[in-house]
Amino acid sequence: MDDHITGAPAPAPSSIKVQEHGKPAAASEPSSGHMSDNDILGETSDELHDNRLRQIAEEGNAHFHRLGWKRLAIVTIVEAIALGALSLPGAYHTLGMFPGVFLTITLGLIAIFTSYIVGQVKLAYPHISHYADAGRLLFGRVGYEVFGAALVLELVMVVGSHALTGSIALGNINGGHVCSIVFSAISAIILLILAIPPSFTEVAILGYIDFASILAAVGITIIATGMQASDSPGGLSGVEWSAWPKEDVSFSQAFVAVSNIIFAFSFAIGQFSFMDEMHTPTEYMKSIWASGLIQISIYTLTGALCYAFIGPSVRSPALLSAGPLISKIAFGVALPVIFISGSINSTVALRYIHGRMWKNSILRHIKTPMGWASWIGLVTAFTIIAWIIAEAIPIFSDLLSLASALFVSGFSFWIPAIMWFQLLCEGKWYARENLLMSIGSILAFIIGAVTLGAGTYATIVDIIKETSEGTANSPFTCRSS
């Protein structure tokens, strides 16, 4: 078992003195008595010769290596499925039924393929514990800094999206009687509290509630809209859904919809961190197959059925389309998935930041008062920034699209493709044993690169268009659902 959590080198014993009640002890002095956790405030890894520090390190390593493949599957599902499922029906309306279904299945299978590559890199280089470490392997110190910054920016935008969704949900349940900024602040506080547990094993327990929540919320919406469609004039055949894109769809609208689908398969971003907690990392593909196929099924059924039952009036998030009463019920049921999924993304980002801050300190194990204080402080600062982003870009589909185009395009598509060629491929890329992997990687790279360029451009154009036309909500103002 690795003696580290964050990818930092394992601490080595040393004769550096241990701080005890404010007085440095001589290097050769034996430890006098039992040291409580309250005495351990600013330790460094060199002090691990002390028995109590060793005990904390061992407990920390044991605590952060308890994740099995079943819980990993739940974590990877709930990390992305909340916002992904809620955004798909609107994307299907823009793209049309056939392109929507085709892209969901195809992009989902490619995301499973690239997650296989990410896992193989983790097994080949066990010291990698997040995407920043992978960036160092690919591009040196520059890669480490750029990938680390991108990791944090992507996840803070995702958490902001959850704060925005929570605000929409609570406002819908309340009937719009309270300013949305109040509800977005409440959402941020809930996200903050749920992100305090630092271990994914603990979060995975909440993930079962999360998974049941999204299934129930989507199920309620599908059943309700299906019944409404059946009772409407003309029945189900009277719903005006289209197999192909609507005639007046613009490039920016179409690519925002494509980016929303890509966002739905963003589970690779946390995969290094998740696998770093597994007690048997070689079992990771069981998790990826389970989570990938479940997500493809849920996304396809949710997008296709909601669009088929609602037609052109489908809204984003999709739960808004179920009618006043049913949408209140559906959002109430969906609250766990909105907040638990958001907290998992916070934990992924903060484990990287906290581990980097204290990579040579016992504080990285978060087992002492100072370790907990630094962790909670980071959770608070991160959540506040996410809340500011949610209020600055209060357009659900565009916020997801921007995060997808800038970051998911890389973490789930073009970066794993580069990993295959630079870190895993042995021999010629076109050799018979490598050809299939190479073709898949080239396809993933093209998808990611096109999404990065065209998706970012399309999202910015769409934000400018909606803002200038007055169809979007203004930043930091009370808004309706």
Side-chain angles (χ1 to χ4, degrees), residues 186-270:
I186 292 172
S187 299
I189 292 171
I190 297 172
L191 288 165
L192 188 159
I193 293 170
L194 290 175
I196 289 176
S199 168
F200 295 118
T201 306
E202 293 152 349
V203 175
I205 297 172
L206 294 175
Y208 292 106
I209 301 172
D210 189 308
F211 187 46
S213 169
I214 191 62
L215 288 180
V218 168
I220 289 169
T221 303
I222 290 173
I223 292 170
T225 54
M227 293 175 63
Q228 292 166 9
S230 298
D231 295 338
S232 64
L236 292 176
S237 59
V239 180
E240 297 179 358
W241 61 269
S242 172
W244 301 101
K246 52 186 182 180
E247 293 181 2
D248 58 343
V249 66
S250 66
F251 173 80
S252 60
Q253 290 174 326
F255 225 96
V256 166
V258 173
S259 296
N260 280 183
I261 296 176
I262 287 175
F263 179 89
F265 297 105
S266 60
F267 49 85
I269 187 171

Side-chain angles (χ1 to χ4, degrees), residues 79 110-119 130-135 138-139 143-158 262-263 265-272 345 348-349 352 402-419 444-445 447-449 451-452:
E79 181 199 7
I110 293 173
I112 292 173
F113 168 75
T114 54
S115 287
Y116 167 77
I117 294 175
V118 170
H130 40 64
Y131 243 110
D133 286 339
L138 290 171
F139 306 114
Y144 180 77
E145 299 296 345
V146 171
F147 280 34
L151 177 75
V152 174
L153 286 171
E154 150 72 358
L155 292 172
V156 77
M157 291 180 70
V158 172
I262 287 175
F263 179 89
F265 297 105
S266 60
F267 49 85
I269 187 171
Q271 190 174 332
F272 285 120
N345 286 283
V348 173
Y352 160 68
L402 188 60
S404 175
L406 288 174
F407 305 116
V408 178
S409 61
F411 292 127
S412 292
F413 293 95
W414 66 262
I415 295 175
I418 293 177
M419 288 178 181
F445 181 87
I447 292 171
T451 303
L452 174 62

Side-chain angles (χ1 to χ4, degrees), residues 11 18 36 70 79 84 111 119 176 178 190 258 279 294 325 473:
V18 176
S36 71
K70 293 177 183 177
E79 181 199 7
V178 176
I190 297 172
V258 173
H279 53 70
I294 288 172
L325 176 60
N473 295 307

Side-chain angles (χ1 to χ4, degrees), residues 39 74 77 148 162 212 226 269 346 361 372 427 432 461 469 476-477:
D39 295 314
I74 290 295
I77 288 170
H162 281 270
I269 187 171
S346 293
S361 170
W372 275 109
R432 178 178 297 179
V461 168
E469 292 179 353
F476 300 99
T477 59

Side-chain angles (χ1 to χ4, degrees), residues 58-100:
E58 290 168 3
E59 290 173 353
N61 281 323
H63 184 72
F64 286 106
H65 287 86
R66 298 177 295 147
L67 195 64
W69 74 265
K70 293 177 183 177
R71 285 191 179 181
L72 173 60
I74 290 295
V75 171
T76 53
I77 288 170
V78 302
E79 181 199 7
I81 200 168
L83 302 184
L86 299 184
S87 66
L88 264 291
Y92 278 34
H93 166 52
T94 301
L95 298 171
M97 184 72 77
F98 178 77

